[in-house]
């Protein structure tokens, strides 16, 4: 939830800072207002980075539903079930839908893309941030990002474009989570709050064992 809040703050404050054409006159021309937006953006970005480090730790030390292979479709059975899950999401009858206690293969793939987009945002974000402190140690650490991407303008462009991945991901994620909750009756939405999920005790789950 901390990461989700940070992403919302980052998107809104980033739009404010960048002043895209669709913001129009909604952005204040006050330098003081822009500085507050920059401060919120930087603080949220650093806090998101901390949550990412915690998540990386759980990819190694978490339970079987939190570790690396449970969040990335790398196992052969997950790759096979990926296409079955795609059919289910395309409104086809879920007769052969694979059952998962944790993330199903489509969710695994979406989170893989989400983590890659987040990594790109963090790297390009720090590359932009450190340009205001060219004598600091962080500048030396993230300057190679600017070099690899071919200049600061490319860094800024990628940082802005990657924002749209999150803007598009959020409504799709909410819709699919609510749809799955209605069809599967597993409490997928409520489990984000209370941590519990309803599962049939006699069902064979693809991720019941490592």
């Amino acid at each position: 939830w901390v990461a989700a809040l940070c992403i919302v703050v980052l998107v809104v404050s980033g739009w404010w800072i960048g002043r895209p054409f669709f913001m129009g006159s909604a952005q204040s021309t006050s330098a003081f207002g822009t500085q507050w937006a920059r401060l919120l953006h930087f603080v949220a970005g650093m806090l998101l980075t901390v949550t990412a480090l915690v998540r990386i730790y759980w990819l190694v030390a978490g339970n079987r539903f939190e570790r690396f292979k449970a969040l990335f479709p790398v196992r052969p059975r997950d790759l096979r079930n990926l296409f079955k899950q795609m059919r289910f999401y395309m409104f086809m009858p879920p007769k052969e839908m694979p059952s998962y206690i944790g993330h199903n293969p489509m969710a695994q793939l979406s989170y893989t893309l989400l983590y890659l987009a987040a990594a790109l945002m963090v790297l390009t974000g720090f590359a932009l941030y450190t340009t205001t402190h060219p004598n600091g140690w962080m500048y030396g650490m993230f300057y190679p990002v600017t070099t690899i991407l071919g200049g600061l303008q490319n860094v800024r462009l990628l940082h802005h474009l990657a924002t749209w991945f999150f803007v598009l991901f959020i409504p799709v994620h909410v819709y699919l989570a609510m749809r799955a909750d209605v069809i599967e009756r597993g409490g997928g939405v409520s489990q984000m709050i209370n941590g519990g999920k309803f599962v049939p005790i006699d069902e064979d789950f693809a991720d019941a064992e490592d």
Side-chain angles (χ1 to χ4, degrees):
W1 285 109
V2 173
L5 178 61
C6 287
I7 290 173
V8 173
V9 172
L10 284 166
V11 169
V12 175
S13 60
W15 279 343
W16 185 296
I17 296 168
R19 194 178 184 182
F21 67 92
F22 50 82
M23 289 287 285
S25 60
Q27 184 189 23
S28 170
T29 57
S30 168
F32 184 74
T34 302
Q35 289 304 313
W36 272 110
R38 286 172 58 85
L39 177 61
L40 285 174
H41 197 75
F42 295 152
V43 171
M46 293 178 183
L47 187 57
L48 180 65
T49 303
V50 173
T51 65
L53 294 175
V54 173
R55 192 66 195 88
I56 291 173
Y57 170 77
W58 287 117
L59 286 175
V60 179
N63 61 38
R64 67 175 183 271
F65 303 115
E66 297 172 322
R67 289 196 294 270
F68 179 86
K69 63 182 180 181
L71 285 179
F72 299 87
V74 294
R75 295 172 295 192
R77 67 170 181 263
D78 292 335
L79 293 175
R80 291 192 301 268
N81 288 334
L82 177 62
F83 298 99
K84 295 180 180 179
Q85 197 70 42
M86 289 175 63
R87 290 198 311 166
F88 170 63
Y89 280 139
M90 289 189 293
F91 304 99
M92 296 181 180
K95 294 181 180 179
E96 299 181 2
M97 183 191 72
S99 297
Y100 279 76
I101 299 177
H103 293 93
N104 64 58
M106 278 295 293
Q108 294 171 4
L109 181 61
S110 66
Y111 279 112
T112 300
L113 296 176
L114 182 70
Y115 290 157
L116 290 176
L120 177 63
M121 291 294 282
V122 168
L123 291 175
T124 55
F126 274 108
L128 292 171
Y129 171 74
T130 54
T131 57
T132 59
H133 303 83
N135 297 322
W137 62 270
M138 291 184 67
Y139 180 81
M141 177 180 294
F142 290 97
Y143 181 75
V145 175
T146 304
T147 303
I148 292 172
L149 294 179
L152 195 61
Q153 187 58 39
N154 290 338
V155 173
R156 194 181 305 277
L157 177 62
L158 284 175
H159 192 72
H160 179 74
L161 291 178
T163 302
W164 287 99
F165 174 85
F166 292 92
V167 173
L168 296 174
F169 176 85
I170 292 172
V172 173
H173 173 67
V174 172
Y175 164 72
L176 291 178
M178 295 180 67
R179 177 178 180 267
D181 212 8
V182 171
I183 296 176
E184 300 175 24
R185 301 290 182 180
V189 175
S190 62
Q191 71 173 323
M192 301 178 194
I193 300 173
N194 60 32
K197 182 177 182 180
F198 297 99
V199 294
I201 59 175
D202 58 346
E203 191 165 344
D204 184 23
F205 292 94
D207 59 345
E209 297 179 0
D210 284 332

